[in-house]
Amino acid sequence: MTAPAVVLVGPPGAGKSTIGALLAQRLGTGYRDTDADIEKTAGKPIPEIFIDEGEPHFRELERQAVRAAVAGHPGVLSLGGGAIMDDGTRALLAGLPVVFLDVELADAVRRVGLDAPRPLLAINPRQRWRELMEARRPLYTEVARATVATGGRTPDEVADAVLEALHLAPVPGDRTQDTTQ
């Protein structure tokens, strides 16, 4: 079993996908997103899984995707926002280089938008996001080796903070500067 180099956790809008891809590039490794794995396995987007089969079915697919990714992906791994709700998943993450990307509500809303297809945020997204964070924050911090606040930071700055928090060095020459921001 090869453990991931970095595992990113956090709520919707934390930037896990963006930061994960940047980190993989800087570390010269692959990037994997368990939500993408679930959609590939199910053959449909996550909102459709929730509608067609329900949240319990989705959570089972998520448990399987996380187990497979933790066991077989040596690069950067992003987990879906609710993956840490499962006791078995939290146990799998013990001892791994997990980083909680902590985001404030205003930033999360700006990043995901209120009309984004996120099943658990469909009704009253701001209030629901607050409720999810209240329930999940202790679990994110439980599994995390480090917490990186994303507020007021560019993706490059967040990626730098993650590397620093985990004492990882980027692969020389692989860093690209994003000047479009």
Side-chain angles (χ1 to χ4, degrees), residues 107-122:
D107 290 330
V109 167
R110 190 181 78 251
R111 290 176 187 162
V112 301
L114 294 179
D115 59 348
R118 304 214 181 231
L120 294 180
L121 300 179

Side-chain angles (χ1 to χ4, degrees), residues 62-144:
E62 185 173 56
R63 278 188 286 280
Q64 293 170 14
V66 170
R67 273 196 308 271
V70 167
H73 182 69
V76 178
L77 177 62
S78 293
L79 304 188
I84 48 79
M85 299 297 287
D86 181 71
D87 293 340
T89 295
R90 289 195 310 279
L92 273 177
L93 298 176
L96 296 180
V98 178
V99 176
F100 165 31
L101 296 181
D102 197 1
V103 62
E104 295 299 320
L105 173 61
D107 290 330
V109 167
R110 190 181 78 251
R111 290 176 187 162
V112 301
L114 294 179
D115 59 348
R118 304 214 181 231
L120 294 180
L121 300 179
I123 300 170
N124 194 350
R126 283 179 159 80
Q127 180 60 32
R128 188 68 182 124
W129 192 91
R130 282 188 194 98
E131 292 167 358
L132 288 174
M133 277 306 292
E134 189 174 303
R136 294 176 180 179
R137 182 177 299 280
L139 302 176
Y140 290 137
T141 57
E142 173 189 322
V143 300

Side-chain angles (χ1 to χ4, degrees), residues 38 119 129 153:
I38 293 165
W129 192 91
R153 290 177 160 169

Side-chain angles (χ1 to χ4, degrees), residues 143-161:
V143 300
R145 184 178 296 175
T147 298
V148 172
T150 63
R153 290 177 160 169
T154 67
D156 279 316
E157 290 168 338
V158 174
D160 288 342

